[in-house]
C-alpha cells in the first residue's frame, strides 16, 4: 500500500489518489522553428554524419509526420516490476541515462518557479535537480521500488505512485513538466500527451526526453544475423509523438532527435545493461538465450559493428519542448 501523503504537502494531488492497475557520442536529427515560425529540417551531426529526420517539411513549411506503427500492448505492471527490481542498483548502471537526463535538464531554464512535475522520476535524482532550479517539485513513477529509493535519498520533493497515462493530479497543477527516458515505456502516446496537457497551466512548458524507434538497432541487427528472434521493446517514432502532442493541443516549440552511443566490454555486459535498467518488457514472452545463442550473438555483434573490443549500443532520443497556450 502506498503511504499517505499529507494534504497540506501535496496541493497538486487529485482526490482520490489513484494507483495504476497495471562516453556519449551524439548525432542530431530533427526539426526546429525558424524566426518565421516554420519547421526546418535539422540533419546535422556532432560527428559530421548525416542522419535522417522522421518526417518532412512541405512547400508551405508545415511539418508532415510519418504514420505510426501499431503498438503492441505493454503491460504497465510488468514494466513497474522490472524497474522496481532494478531500483537498488539503477543509479550505478544507468550511465547513458544520466548523460541524456543532463542534456534534458540543460534544456530547461536555469531558474524555475512554481510547481514542477517529473514524470517517471525513478530514484528521484532529477526531481531533486528541479528543486535546485527553484521549483516545488513532485515526482511520479509507476514503480514502488524506485519511489522507495527516491524517498530514502531526498526529502524536498514529493514522490507519488502513478501512471503517465492517468496522472493523479488536478488540472492545471504545474508550470513545468519534465521527463527523461521514461515515456517510451507507455503504449498510448495520445493518452500521455493529453495528460501532460491537462496538468500543465496555461503558459506552462514541458521538456521531455523520450527514447524512440531506432534505438538498439545494433542489437536488433545482430540478433537477425545470428538468426535469433527479436526481443526488443516496441517504441513509437518521433512522428508518432508529434501527432499525439498536436492532437492534445500542446504547441510544439522544438524537437531535436539525438543518437547517444553507449559502449560495453562484451555482449553479456551489454545485455545486462539493457535488462538492468528495466528495458526488457516487450509485450511478448521471450525464450531465454542459450550459451550457443549468446556466442552467436557476440560474433554477429562484433562483425556488424567492427569497433575493436567495445560493443556500441545506440539510444535514439527525441528532446521535445512543448507549451500550453
Amino acid at each position: 500500500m502506498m503511504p499517505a501523503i499529507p494534504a497540506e504537502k501535496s496541493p497538486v494531488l487529485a482526490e482520490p489518489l489513484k494507483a495504476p492497475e497495471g562516453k556519449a557520442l551524439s548525432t542530431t536529427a530533427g526539426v526546429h522553428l525558424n524566426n518565421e515560425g516554420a519547421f526546418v529540417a535539422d540533419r546535422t551531426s556532432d560527428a559530421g554524419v548525416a542522419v535522417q529526420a522522421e518526417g518532412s517539411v512541405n512547400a508551405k513549411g508545415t511539418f508532415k509526420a510519418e504514420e505510426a506503427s501499431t503498438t503492441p500492448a505493454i503491460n504497465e505492471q510488468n514494466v513497474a516490476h522490472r524497474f522496481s527490481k532494478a531500483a537498488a542498483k539503477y543509479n550505478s548502471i544507468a550511465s547513458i541515462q544520466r548523460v541524456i537526463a543532463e542534456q534534458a535538464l540543460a534544456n530547461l531554464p536555469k531558474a524555475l518557479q512554481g510547481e514542477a512535475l517529473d514524470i517517471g522520476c525513478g530514484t528521484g535524482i532529477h526531481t531533486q535537480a528541479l528543486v535546485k532550479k527553484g521549483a516545488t517539485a513532485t515526482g511520479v513513477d509507476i514503480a514502488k521500488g524506485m519511489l522507495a529509493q527516491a524517498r530514502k535519498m531526498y526529502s524536498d520533493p514529493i514522490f507519488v505512485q502513478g501512471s503517465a497515462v492517468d496522472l493523479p493530479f488536478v488540472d492545471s497543477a504545474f508550470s513545468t513538466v519534465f521527463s527523461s527516458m521514461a515515456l517510451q515505456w507507455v503504449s498510448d502516446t495520445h493518452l500521455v500527451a493529453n495528460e501532460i496537457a491537462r496538468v500543465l497551466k496555461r503558459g506552462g512548458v514541458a521538456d521531455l526526453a523520450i527514447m524512440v524507434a531506432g534505438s538498439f538497432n545494433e542489437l536488433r541487427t545482430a540478433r537477425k544475423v545470428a538468426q535469433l528472434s527479436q526481443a526488443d521493446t516496441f517504441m513509437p517514432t518521433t512522428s508518432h509523438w508529434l501527432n499525439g502532442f498536436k492532437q492534445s493541443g500542446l504547441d510544439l516549440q522544438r524537437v531535436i532527435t539525438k543518437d547517444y552511443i553507449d559502449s560495453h566490454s562484451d555482449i553479456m555486459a551489454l545485455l545486462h545493461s539493457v535488462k538492468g535498467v528495466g528495458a526488457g518488457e516487450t509485450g511478448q514472452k521471450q525464450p531465454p538465450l542459450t550459451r550457443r545463442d549468446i556466442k552467436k550473438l557476440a560474433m554477429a555483434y562484433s562483425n556488424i559493428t567492427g569497433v575493436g573490443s567495445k560493443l556500441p549500443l545506440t539510444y535514439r532520443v527525441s528532446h521535445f519542448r512543448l507549451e500550453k497556450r
Side-chain angles (χ1 to χ4, degrees):
M1 179 179 294
M2 184 166 45
I5 300 174
E8 66 272 16
K9 193 179 179 184
S10 55
V12 297
L13 288 178
E15 293 293 343
L17 181 63
K18 295 180 285 185
E21 295 182 359
K23 123 182 228 191
L25 170 71
S26 67
T27 61
T28 62
V31 294
H32 62 272
L33 290 170
N34 65 14
N35 291 334
E36 287 77 37
F39 281 108
V40 179
D42 180 0
R43 300 191 182 189
T44 62
S45 83
D46 296 344
V49 180
V51 288
Q52 188 171 357
E54 296 179 275
S56 60
V57 181
N58 65 21
K60 295 181 180 180
T62 303
F63 184 75
K64 181 181 179 182
E66 295 174 352
E67 291 300 320
S69 303
T70 302
T71 308
I74 298 296
N75 187 304
E76 276 202 350
Q77 288 183 326
N78 291 345
V79 174
H81 176 69
R82 286 181 181 275
F83 277 97
S84 287
K85 285 182 65 177
K89 57 184 178 180
Y90 186 86
N91 286 347
S92 65
I93 62 177
S95 56
I96 195 70
Q97 285 79 2
R98 281 197 302 274
V99 172
I100 295 165
E102 286 167 5
Q103 178 61 63
L105 287 166
N107 290 339
L108 289 169
K110 290 184 178 180
L112 296 176
Q113 295 181 346
E115 301 278 353
L117 176 64
D118 181 7
I119 302 177
C121 65
T123 59
I125 186 171
H126 309 307
T127 321
Q128 181 66 19
L130 298 177
V131 173
K132 290 182 178 179
K133 283 179 172 284
T136 301
T138 299
V140 63
D141 203 285
I142 59 174
K144 290 181 179 179
M146 287 289 194
L147 293 170
Q149 288 291 318
R151 292 178 182 126
K152 285 180 184 177
M153 296 172 65
Y154 306 109
S155 58
D156 290 328
I158 301 166
F159 294 106
V160 181
Q161 187 180 14
S163 168
V165 300
D166 188 15
L167 292 169
F169 308 104
V170 298
D171 296 355
S172 304
F174 299 97
S175 300
T176 304
V177 171
F178 174 83
S179 184
S180 181
M181 295 296 285
L183 296 179
Q184 61 269 9
W185 309 127
V186 304
S187 57
D188 194 321
T189 56
H190 295 282
L191 282 178
V192 172
N194 288 339
E195 282 295 275
I196 291 173
R198 181 181 66 78
V199 301
L200 265 178
K201 296 179 179 178
R202 289 201 176 276
V205 171
D207 250 295
L208 315 172
I210 308 174
M211 188 156 59
V212 295
S215 298
F216 302 163
N217 265 346
E218 303 94 338
L219 183 56
R220 187 179 300 107
T221 302
R223 291 189 74 103
K224 184 176 181 179
V225 170
Q227 298 182 327
L228 300 174
S229 61
Q230 294 300 327
D232 56 338
T233 304
F234 175 90
M235 295 178 196
T237 64
T238 301
S239 300
H240 196 171
W241 280 107
L242 286 171
N243 287 337
F245 294 135
K246 181 179 180 180
Q247 291 183 26
S248 75
L250 290 170
D251 184 52
L252 178 68
Q253 299 297 301
R254 63 109 176 93
V255 55
I256 298 175
T257 298
K258 305 182 72 171
D259 283 352
Y260 296 84
I261 303 176
D262 203 4
S263 63
H264 302 274
S265 58
D266 55 48
I267 194 65
M268 289 306 298
L270 185 149
L271 293 174
H272 282 309
S273 77
V274 174
K275 183 178 180 181
V277 295
E281 173 55 32
T282 65
Q284 300 175 2
K285 188 174 182 179
Q286 300 292 337
L289 294 176
T290 65
R291 288 186 180 181
R292 184 171 180 271
D293 291 338
I294 292 171
K295 185 176 181 180
K296 287 168 58 180
L297 184 61
M299 291 180 62
Y301 211 110
S302 295
N303 288 337
I304 65 170
T305 58
V307 187
S309 60
K310 293 290 186 180
L311 303 181
L313 184 64
T314 298
Y315 290 71
R316 180 162 293 176
V317 179
S318 288
H319 293 268
F320 298 94
R321 166 67 68 84
L322 306 151
E323 183 178 351
K324 183 175 179 178
R325 299 256 182 191

